Structure formats: C-alpha cells, structure tokens
C-alpha cells in the first residue's frame, strides 16, 4: 500500500502549490479535487445547463466525460477530449464554481471519482501513475470525507492578508490585472459558500494544522515533507513493534494445547467469496403461456432443480425471472413468466405485461399449452401476439403423461405454429425432444441480450417485510417497470435478478419476496417464496433492508435484520416512503431506531422515496461503504497490538477467582470479517461486545457484522 497525503485549506493558502511540490519530491501522484469542481462548472456552462437547476447540474456532472491528470508536473484536465486546464482557471469559472460545489449530489458524484483515483494510486492498480507509491490529494473535504484514513492529513491555512497577497501574485504572474476589492470579495465569498458544506477553516481531530502566514514556499514544503517523513517512520516503527509482539505471542501460544483446526486457522488467509452470477449475453428463451399450464414446472425440469416457485394453483409466478441453463453443450438463458390472460385488470394485468416484455426481449419463445384442456381463447390471443412479434416459436403440449394422451397433443397442430411437442413437465417425459427443437431455432448469438457486464459484479439483495417497497425501489433505480408492483402485500414471489448501472458501474440487484413474521405459518407458494428469499440473501454480498418509514418499526423488521446478520451479509438500512413522513413521525422514527435497532447502529442508514426516486442516488455511497467494511482486513500485528493495549486498559473481570487473558488473535476470513481469539478462559458476552465496539472505533468495519470466535486453551502439561 502506498502513502496517501490529504491536504485541505482555504483558498489562497498555498495548498495546491505545496501539494504539487511535495508530490514531485516524493514521486507521488497528485490530485486537485478543486479542479474537478471547476471542470464541472465549465462543463455545465459548455452544455448550456442553468446552474440554478440543481437536478440538471447533477445529471450533467454524472455524465461528464472527465479525465483528470495526476502528474504533479503537468496535472492536465481533459473533458470530452478538450484540454480545459487553463479554461477552468478563468475568473468567471471561479465566480460560479460555488454554485456547483455546494450541490450535494454533485459532491457525492465527484467524491466517488476522487476515491477511485486515490485507491488506484494507493493500491498500484492498472493505469497507475505512481506505480503504487501513493498520491497527494488536495481540496475540500479530502481530509474528512474523501480520505479520512489517509496516511497524513493536513490543514494548510494562512491569514486573510497573506492569502489575498498570494492570490494577487498568482494573477500578476499570469499577466492579469488585480482588483483588490473584487479579489477580497471573491475569496471571502467563496470561503463562506464552501463553509456551508465543508469544514476547512479549523482542523478536525486527527488533522495537523499548518499555518503558513509567516512561512515561505520552501519552508512550507520542507515542513510538510518533515511531517510526512515523521508519520511514515512512526507507522513503520509501530508495524515493527506489532510484528515483534505478534511473534512473541505466537511463540507463547505454542505452550498451550492446540488442535489441528487451531493450526489451520492460525495459518489461514481470508479470501472474499464470490457469488455465482448469471452470465448475460447468452441466447434468451422466454417461456409463455396462460396461467397454470406448467411453465415453471417445465423450467425446473430444464434446470434440473426446483428453482422456480411451483404450486397447483393459477398465478403463482408473477415476474419474469431469468435462469442460466444448458442443453446439449449449449448455454442459454431461460426466462420464466407469469400467466398471460385476455382482458385482465390490476395485478393480473401487470403480470401479463411482464410476460409480453419477456417475449419482446427474447430470441425465441417456448409456448406451453395444456394438452388436456386444448386451445382456449387466451391461447389463441397469445398465438396472434407471437405471430405479430415475428419470434421463432416452439410449442410444448404439456401434461401428456402417457402415450394414450398423444392424441390430445396432435390437436394443437391447429395453432399454426408447427409441430406440437408432447411433454410431461412433471415427470420429464419428452422434455429432451422439446429442448432439441428449441436448440434448432435458438440463435448462437443473442440479438437481444446486452453485452456481458463487468466481471465480479456485486450482488445486492433487497429484503424486508411485505409491501415496504422493494420492487418499487428496483424499478426506480432501473428506470423501468422491471418487476410487478401492487399494493397487495406479497406480490413478489420469485427472486428477480436485474443488472443495473448506477454511477457508471454495474450491479446485480435482487428483488425478493417479503419475509413474513412466521415462515412456518406460510402456505404453498408464499412458503417457498420465503425460502427463495433466504437463498437470495445467502448468495448476496449486501442486503438492503427496507423499512416503512410511515409505520413503526416492527418485530418483523427486526427479524429480517437478524436473518441478514445470521447470514453474515453486509447491511444497509433504508427508510422507504419518506415522502409520507411528517416531522412528528421523523422524531418518533429516530427514537424507534435508537431503541429497536441499536444493535445495528454500525450499518449505513439512508432515507428515500422509491416511488418518486427521491434520494435513491445515495444508495451507491451506502453500498460502497458496506462493501468496504465487509472486506476489511486487519493485519495480525495491528490486531494483536490493539487487543494488547485494550486488555491492559480494560482487563476482563475476574470470574470464579480467575481472570481470562487474551493470548493471541488473528482474522481468519473476510466477507464477513471473522476474528478468532485464543484465551485462557471464557470471555463474557458483554466483554466480547466491548471488543467488537472498540474494533469498529479503531478499524471501521462499517456496514458489516463481525464474527468473534473465542477458543479457550489450556497450558501444556509438562512431562
């Protein structure tokens, strides 16, 4: 890991010049975050965006094709292929930049880009300028919001007179006239505007103040370099001490009885597990038909497992649900749909609309007809719809369980779609012949599936009790009616995977069925829907638990959260339906959260309205924070050093005349973080909670449960 130097300060304090000099001296990359805001202001003016329209500005900045140069000797700023390094320094840009910089949505988008650049340089990722040596980042919020964990955090300031003199000097050097009154007004006004969203006039805790009022440039650079060197040496010394302590503790642990599992844990490196993702870009086969003809049963037969919820009543499947499938060495995506009927209203109309959407987004269609019932009016309507679409169609005559029923299937020749293939989805009879026919019409390359998404997509499960707005949130962030939404609780039954692009990145969001209070009391499709939800949580990396902000927090909500914690998933809490909440209800909700959800106070908590899309843009920041905490790894040396200091300051209470002592600790996995502590005695639950709380204070672990395992070991008997 390279070093990260974060420098903040008011305008004219010299932080930009100092930052570039320091980065050059140390061979680090350089990031001017303030230039990103000026570039955003320039881009909005270039695109003709009214800066007073906050929403339009936010949309424009999100789509801005910005390329930030990080070479400290040539920090070029390129936007849409145009070098705007000099243009963003013009006085009119400086006069309007505060209108952009105070836009919270803009700040969130640029903060994401800034963190990405810092991470690239610190970790030595692809296209890294510094080769992993690190970066100097300067600008607003960089010490507190953007890089709070930076190696060195500095606040460079100066008196107002010194700052004005430096700004005037910069203008004169550039051959521009200096108006002292206008310059003072500009500097003071910008400080006032920026101070509404950022604290940069006083040094927060952990940030070193550097007053340069009486210092020359050379003196300031030397002083900053000295601070960086001292901090790097301090960290190196601490790491060396932690390493020595760890080796001593590990050697001492050899004097205790250890089993084979202990030795495995002590030598184990935690790896982030990856969920299996559905591979898009494959040919798509949509399964259509009226309700209760056996579509989901046939899908399960093709998959070779009970993936789709099945019950012997009409209307069990409601959304279009995609599954990866394979036959005869060919891979494809099969889409299960709800039943299509003529002239239906309400929920059933939404289900039919999803079935029609599945047909439009498919390369071929498998039409399932109940051979025992024959051709109905709904079947005839589906046939007419399929003919208009021009999609290749294979007819499956289902429920032909024996050769004696083959005559029922022959009657379906009248549909005019070619040979009806007899099949029994329940028993598997004839399923291979149907799939062979499908392979003949299914193209090798899909004409409708989008390009394959990025590898290693994060899976996000939307969970909660019924009717809290999970499907509405998925539709809102997808920008389309992807899943059926209805006021009736329990509309969703099958988990629906959807690849969605947010903030320029792809995510897999999974809409799930609402988890009811008592699963065992559920019946039929609802019971299996809840089981599918449990499986979706297990496969996800982050569970977004939705709460109905307009209603009190219920026992059911707490149960859902406990289910996420038991699964070890990262957690984000969302108060949905915020548009229905008044001030009185907000105060009540805060009290309810403090009382009922105090055990998950570490989880990111956001308020939004899925129906209107209000504040849904904040979801990505919360997800990133939770994922970072979920994959946090604490070096063994630092962990043992921390626990040693903790135990010395607050030892475990004496129990039964003995005082348990921590011998050694190691983190054995991430996602979720799991820490194993070897002790001489059992640790009380209260003391384990104390350890967890202090671990979060020291190392973050935002949005993730921490699993702490205690292994009590006895000293070896001398022989």
């Amino acid at each position: 890991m390279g070093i990260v130097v974060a420098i903040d300060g008011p305008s004219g304090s010299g932080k930009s010049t100092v930052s570039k000099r320091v980065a050059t001296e140390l061979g680090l990359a350089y990031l001017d975050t303030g230039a990103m805001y000026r570039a955003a202001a320039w881009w909005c003016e270039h695109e003709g965006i009214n800066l007073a329209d906050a929403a339009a500005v936010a949309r424009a900045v999100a789509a801005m094709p910005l390329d930030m140069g990080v070479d400290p000797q040539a920090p070029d700023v390129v936007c849409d292929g145009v070098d705007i390094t000099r243009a963003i320094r013009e006085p009119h840009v400086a006069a309007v930049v505060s209108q952009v910089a105070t836009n919270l949505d803009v700040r969130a988008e640029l903060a994401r880009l800034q963190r990405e650049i810092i991470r690239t340089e610190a970790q030595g990722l692809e296209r890294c300028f510094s080769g992993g040596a690190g970066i100097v980042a300067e600008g607003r919020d960089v010490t507190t919001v953007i890089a709070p964990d930076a190696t060195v955090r500095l606040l460079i300031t100066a008196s107002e007179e010194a700052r004005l003199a430096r700004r005037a000097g910069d203008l004169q050097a550039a051959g521009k006239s200096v108006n002292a009154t206008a310059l003072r007004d500009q500097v003071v006004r910008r400080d006032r505007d920026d101070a509404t969203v950022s604290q940069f006039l006083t040094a927060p805790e952990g940030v070193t103040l550097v007053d340069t009022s009486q210092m020359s440039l050379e003196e300031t650079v030397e002083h900053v370099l000295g601070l960086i060197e001292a901090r790097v040496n301090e960290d190196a010394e601490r790491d060396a001490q932690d390493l020595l302590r760890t080796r001593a503790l590990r050697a001492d642990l050899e004097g205790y009885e250890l089993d084979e599992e202990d030795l495995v844990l002590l030598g184990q490196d935690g790896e982030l597990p990856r969920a299996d993702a559905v591979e898009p870009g494959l040919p798509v086969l949509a399964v259509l038909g009226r309700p209760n003809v056996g579509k989901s049963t046939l899908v399960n037969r093709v998959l070779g497992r009970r993936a789709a919820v099945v019950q012997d009543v009409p209307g069990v499947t409601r959304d279009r649900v995609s599954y990866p499938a394979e036959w005869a060495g060919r891979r494809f995506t099969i889409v299960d749909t709800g039943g299509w009927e003529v002239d239906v209203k309400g929920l059933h109309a939404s289900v039919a609309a999803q079935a029609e959407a599945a047909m439009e987004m498919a390369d071929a269609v498998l039409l399932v007809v109940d051979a025992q019932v024959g051709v109905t009016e709904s079947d005839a309507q589906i046939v007419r719809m399929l003919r208009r679409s021009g999609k290749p169609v294979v007819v499956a005559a289902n429920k032909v369980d024996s050769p004696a029923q083959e005559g029922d299937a022959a009657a379906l020749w009248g549909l005019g779609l070619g040979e009806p293939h007899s099949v029994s989805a329940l028993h598997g009879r004839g399923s291979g012949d149907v799939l062979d026919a499908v392979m003949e019409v299914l193209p090798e390359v899909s004409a409708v599936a989008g390009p394959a998404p990025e590898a290693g997509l994060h899976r996000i499960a939307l969970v909660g009790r019924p009717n809290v707005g999970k499907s509405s949130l998925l539709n809102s962030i997808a920008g389309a009616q992807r899943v059926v939404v209805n006021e009736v609780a329990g509309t969703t039954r099958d988990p629906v995977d959807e690849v969605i692009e947010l903030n320029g990145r792809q995510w897999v969001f999974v809409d799930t069925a609402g988890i009811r209070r008592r699963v065992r009391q559920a019946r039929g499709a609802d019971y299996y829907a809840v089981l599918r939800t449990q499986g979706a949580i297990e496969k996800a990396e982050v569970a977004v638990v939705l709460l109905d902000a307009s209603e009190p927090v219920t026992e059911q909500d707490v149960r859902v959260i406990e289910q996420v914690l038991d699964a070890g998933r990262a957690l984000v809490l969302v108060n949905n339906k915020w548009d229905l909440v008044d001030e009185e209800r907000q105060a009540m909700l805060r009290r309810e959260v403090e009382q009922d959800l105090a055990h998950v106070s570490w989880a990111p908590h956001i308020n939004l309205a899925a129906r209107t899309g209000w504040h849904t843009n904040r979801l990505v920041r919360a997800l990133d924070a939770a994922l970072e905490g979920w994959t946090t790894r604490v070096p063994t040396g630092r962990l043992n050093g921390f626990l040693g200091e903790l135990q010395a300051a607050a030892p475990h209470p004496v129990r039964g005349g003995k005082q348990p002592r921590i011998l050694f600790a190691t983190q054995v996995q991430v996602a979720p973080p799991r820490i194993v502590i070897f002790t001489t005695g059992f640790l009380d639950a209260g003391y384990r909670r104390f350890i967890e709380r202090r671990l979060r204070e020291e190392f973050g672990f935002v949005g993730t449960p921490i699993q702490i395992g205690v292994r009590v070991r006895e000293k070896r008997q001398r022989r």
Side-chain angles (χ1 to χ4, degrees), residues 415-427:
L415 293 173
L417 296 176
E419 179 184 358
H421 298 270
S422 302
V423 64
S424 174
L426 184 62
H427 304 294

Side-chain angles (χ1 to χ4, degrees), residues 225-497:
L225 288 172
L227 291 173
I228 296 172
E229 183 181 4
R231 181 56 188 270
V232 171
N233 292 338
E234 182 184 332
D235 289 347
E237 184 179 355
R238 184 196 62 188
D239 292 341
Q241 291 177 350
D242 288 343
L243 181 60
L244 291 174
R245 183 186 292 108
T246 300
R247 288 175 177 174
L249 292 173
R250 181 66 180 86
D252 183 60
L253 192 61
E254 294 295 333
Y256 290 79
E257 298 286 350
L258 301 177
D259 56 28
E260 292 184 2
E261 187 177 355
D262 293 339
L263 297 176
V264 171
L265 290 175
L266 290 169
Q268 182 176 340
D269 292 324
E271 296 181 358
L272 178 65
R274 294 292 179 183
D276 296 330
V278 175
E279 182 179 359
L282 299 174
V284 180
L285 174 68
V287 182
L288 266 65
R290 56 185 181 82
N292 208 34
V293 295
K295 299 182 296 297
S296 297
T297 304
L298 184 57
V299 168
N300 286 339
R301 177 62 59 183
V302 172
L303 298 176
R305 65 183 192 278
R306 286 179 63 96
V309 176
V310 174
Q311 190 180 8
D312 193 20
V313 294
V316 173
T317 304
R318 291 167 176 172
D319 298 295
R320 62 182 195 271
V321 188
S322 301
Y323 304 98
E326 184 176 352
W327 180 256
R330 289 183 59 185
R331 292 183 299 161
F332 60 99
T333 299
I334 189 168
V335 182
D336 189 19
T337 67
W340 192 94
E341 288 188 282
V342 183
D343 298 330
V344 288
K345 298 179 180 179
L347 175 60
H348 301 293
S350 299
V351 173
Q354 290 296 317
E356 294 176 16
M359 178 195 68
E360 294 295 332
M361 300 175 65
D363 295 292
V365 175
L366 178 62
L367 176 61
V368 183
V369 183
D370 189 338
Q372 296 181 5
V373 176
V375 179
T376 66
E377 178 59 25
S378 293
D379 292 323
Q381 288 278 16
I382 294 174
V383 170
R384 286 193 283 272
M385 182 174 65
L386 289 173
R387 285 174 175 167
R388 289 194 300 268
S389 72
K391 304 282 184 180
V393 182
V394 174
V395 179
N398 193 27
K399 304 185 183 180
V400 181
D401 300 329
S402 66
Q405 298 173 305
E406 291 285 350
D408 298 334
L412 300 180
W413 276 96
L415 293 173
L417 296 176
E419 179 184 358
H421 298 270
S422 302
V423 64
S424 174
L426 184 62
H427 304 294
R429 182 177 183 271
S431 58
D433 295 335
V434 172
L435 289 172
D436 288 339
V438 167
M439 293 299 106
E440 293 179 3
V441 301
L442 202 63
E444 293 286 344
V445 179
S446 176
V448 296
E454 304 168 1
L457 296 187
H458 297 299
R459 292 181 65 88
I460 315 300
L462 304 177
V463 298
R465 57 188 173 89
N467 211 30
V468 294
K470 300 180 293 295
S471 299
S472 296
L473 179 58
L474 180 63
N475 287 338
S476 179
I477 59 180
Q481 291 297 311
R482 177 60 184 86
V483 290
V484 174
V485 175
N486 195 275
E487 294 181 356
V488 177
T491 300
T492 303
R493 283 174 173 163
D494 294 276
V496 179
D497 292 16

Side-chain angles (χ1 to χ4, degrees), residues 8-36:
D8 201 348
S11 177
S13 61
K15 62 181 184 294
S16 297
T17 305
V18 171
S19 296
K20 285 187 281 189
R21 285 282 302 274
V22 169
T24 302
E25 289 285 340
L26 298 178
L28 307 179
Y30 164 74
L31 174 63
D32 182 1
T33 62
M36 299 180 75

Side-chain angles (χ1 to χ4, degrees), residues 177-196:
S177 60
V178 179
N179 186 320
T181 304
L183 181 61
R184 177 179 294 274
D185 177 70
Q186 178 184 323
V187 171
V188 172
R189 177 166 47 82
R190 183 176 176 187
D191 286 349
R192 184 182 63 249
D193 291 342
D194 289 354
T196 61

Side-chain angles (χ1 to χ4, degrees), residues 8-10 143-144 154-157 195 198-210:
D8 201 348
T143 60
T144 54
L154 305 175
L155 177 65
I156 295 182
T157 187
S198 174
Q199 176 57 267
F200 58 90
L201 298 177
T202 58
E205 184 180 357
V207 177
T208 303
L209 180 67
V210 180

Side-chain angles (χ1 to χ4, degrees), residues 97-114:
V97 69
S98 290
Q99 288 182 269
V100 177
T102 53
N103 187 314
L104 296 181
D105 290 333
V106 169
R107 297 185 73 85
E109 173 63 21
L110 295 185
R112 182 187 65 81
L113 296 175
Q114 292 158 17

